[in-house]
Amino acid sequence: MNKILEPEITFINEQLKGKNIDKIDRRLKDLKDIFFDKDALSNMDNDTIVYEVESYLPVKQNTEGGLFYGITYIHPGVVGNEYFMTKGHFHKIKNRGEFYSTLQGEGMLILMDEERNTWAEKMFPGSMHYIQANIAHRTANTGDTILSFSAFWPSDAGHDYATISEHGFSKILIKKDNKPVLADR
Ligand code: S6P
Ligand code: ZN
């Protein structure tokens, strides 16, 4: 075989393009269980977009041996004093890791192990994050502009959202004196 092919996707000028790009958005109404301050939440517009994800899924979900790629865009904002953030999840097959690499903005990658120890890593353009197997992960936008990052994960990893939806992380990331602080709930 001697063929020179075009790439299936490109990411030029912050735009992911190609066939089969899957796009989703998550609005406040989809995230009711994750934010701590339910009063603040009830006074906000349910339709506010918190984050968007564009993914390139070249193989079927749950395929062993494949890889997925996605870009997450988290809008700036707070619910009460908690930063806009993703739902967060363990992988369904827990021993699957993941890479994140920050494109724009500033934020925090919040990590929690199975014993519910929670810590965070700063995200800024160019920061790289290796999320080890068996670790729940969530990202929060701590800046005034969109936080965007690339993610690379195994196609059989899947997502366990239920554990976080029910029990949350053991700490929340709040804005205190204009700075992000990991606080006990
Ligand atoms: C997938 C990867 C990301 C997230 C995205 C949204 O394993 O970690 O693409 O899906 O950042 O977060 P969440 O928690 O709503 O999936
Ligand atoms: Zn993940």
Side-chain angles (χ1 to χ4, degrees):
M1 168 145 130
N2 179 21
K3 273 188 173 177
I4 296 176
L5 306 177
E6 294 296 326
E8 288 203 3
I9 57 164
T10 57
F11 184 60
I12 299 170
N13 298 331
E14 299 290 313
Q15 300 256 40
L16 187 61
K17 286 195 175 147
K19 274 187 259 165
N20 305 319
I21 305 285
D22 184 67
K23 295 186 187 187
I24 56 151
D25 62 50
R26 297 278 182 236
R27 296 167 189 253
L28 282 174
K29 64 181 174 210
D30 308 312
L31 303 170
K32 292 213 151 129
D33 45 349
I34 68 161
F35 289 104
F36 194 70
D37 189 338
K38 306 295 180 207
D39 285 345
L41 194 59
S42 67
N43 289 321
M44 294 174 75
D45 179 354
N46 259 331
D47 272 323
T48 306
I49 295 178
V50 177
Y51 61 98
E52 296 159 78
V53 187
E54 296 179 339
S55 308
Y56 176 54
L57 313 172
V59 294
K60 283 198 183 127
Q61 295 278 359
N62 306 323
T63 302
E64 191 183 322
L67 290 170
F68 288 156
Y69 173 73
I71 303 178
T72 304
Y73 302 86
I74 309 180
H75 293 243
V78 284
V79 176
N81 57 6
E82 196 173 14
Y83 295 102
F84 275 16
M85 61 183 176
T86 58
K87 286 185 180 188
H89 56 269
F90 284 100
H91 289 150
K92 204 173 207 165
I93 300 185
K94 283 204 172 169
N95 69 353
R96 295 295 190 265
E98 183 161 2
F99 265 122
Y100 280 1
S101 139
T102 311
L103 300 165
Q104 298 284 339
E106 57 187 87
M108 213 62 88
L109 167 60
I110 305 163
L111 300 158
M112 183 176 75
D113 66 20
E114 290 178 282
E115 283 73 51
R116 299 188 54 77
N117 298 302
T118 299
W119 68 102
E121 289 180 11
K122 288 182 184 172
M123 300 176 79
F124 51 85
S127 70
M128 294 282 305
H129 307 272
Y130 174 53
I131 301 164
Q132 292 187 36
N134 306 301
I135 300 291
H137 40 287
R138 152 181 288 166
T139 45
N141 185 344
T142 59
D144 301 326
T145 57
I146 284 192
L147 169 71
S148 59
F149 63 91
S150 298
F152 310 77
W153 70 102
S155 48
D156 63 352
H159 297 97
D160 162 18
Y161 290 110
T163 304
I164 299 301
S165 162
E166 277 169 43
H167 306 289
F169 280 61
S170 61
K171 290 180 188 292
I172 55 175
L173 189 76
I174 55 166
K175 189 173 188 171
K176 198 172 175 198
D177 301 329
N178 240 7
K179 275 196 291 234
V181 174
L182 257 192
D184 290 325
R185 303 163 68 206

